[in-house]
């Protein structure tokens, strides 16, 4: 890693992990990943501001009207995915790349789609530069998924979904799980869907969250 990650940053990350544990994140692997990934390097240009704020449990603007998710949300979605090493995971909404990096540290083989060309063009090289070059980034519409690499063991959607994306359900393995914020952006339920057979699913709900909306099509 050729950008600055100091002992101070590491200390702040340790404190953040403790805070997330207090808020109910129980999976130690997820807490370790939060302690490992240098969140302050995922914000784009305004580094001085983010040096101080990156390890607060808050979402922030990352440009193009999009946000880097709150650490608690990243940790909770990661925990609900119940990742085993080497699993193939598809993420919808690359954004800053932070969630993708956390999944990679958890040992997953990560594929991630972003519909905003500018964010895609910023984040793909950033992930490479930070040493996460094994994450495969696509510029595309997440509603279509990434069929050429399907099926996936897990799918995570990081934007509020108004309707169940059928093509994504098709790209899930039997026994696979999808974690998604379902509903309108300010008020959605965190839902985990398990695929038992083609066309046969069960659903669990894990509380209210706020997300930017998942939108159709690409933005050039
Ligand atoms: N996982 C990101 C969160 C970014 S916010 C992070 O860790 O920073 C959600 C992202 O989803 C935004 O970047 C938004 O542009 C993207 N998005 C919304 N609808 C999408 C779609 N249909 N396909 C792909 N990305 C989408």
């Amino acid at each position: 890693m050729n950008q600055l990650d100091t002992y101070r940053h590491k200390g702040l990350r340790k404190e953040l992990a403790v805070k997330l544990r207090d808020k109910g994140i129980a999976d130690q692997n997820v807490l370790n990943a939060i302690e490992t990934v240098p969140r302050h390097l995922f914000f784009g240009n305004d580094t001085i501001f983010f040096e101080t704020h990156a390890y607060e449990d808050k979402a922030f603007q990352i440009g193009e009207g999009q946000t880097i998710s709150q650490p608690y949300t990243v940790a909770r979605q990661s925990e609900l995915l119940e990742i085993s090493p080497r699993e193939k995971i598809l993420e919808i909404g690359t954004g800053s790349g932070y969630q993708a990096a956390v999944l990679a540290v958890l040992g997953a083989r990560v594929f991630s789609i972003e519909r905003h060309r500018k964010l895609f063009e910023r984040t793909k090289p950033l992930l490479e530069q930070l040493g996460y070059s094994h994450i495969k980034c696509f510029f595309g519409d997440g509603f279509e998924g990434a069929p050429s690499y399907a099926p996936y063991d897990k799918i995570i959607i990081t934007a509020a979904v108004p309707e169940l994306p059928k093509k994504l359900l098709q790209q899930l393995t039997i026994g696979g799980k999808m974690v998604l914020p379902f509903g309108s952006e300010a008020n959605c339920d965190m839902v985990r869907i398990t695929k038992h057979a083609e066309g046969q699913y069960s659903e669990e709900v894990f509380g209210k969250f706020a997300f930017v909306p998942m939108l159709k099509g690409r933005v050039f």
Side-chain angles (χ1 to χ4, degrees), residues 39 42 60 62-70 74 77 91-102 112-117 119-120 123 138-145 156-160 211-219:
R39 189 171 186 255
F42 286 80
F60 287 104
I62 53 167
E64 314 310 313
Q66 303 306 321
T67 54
I68 179 170
S69 300
Q70 187 182 339
V74 171
Q77 285 199 284
E91 178 192 30
I92 311 302
T94 315
S96 68
Y98 177 67
Q99 171 78 74
V102 168
S112 185
I113 309 177
E114 173 57 54
R115 74 187 281 272
H116 265 283
R117 179 146 214 145
L119 286 177
F120 166 77
T123 301
F138 306 100
F139 169 53
D141 178 357
F143 280 102
E144 300 298 318
I156 172 175
I157 306 183
T158 68
F211 276 85
V212 296
M214 180 163 169
L215 300 170
K216 292 207 165 114
R218 293 186 294 176
V219 182

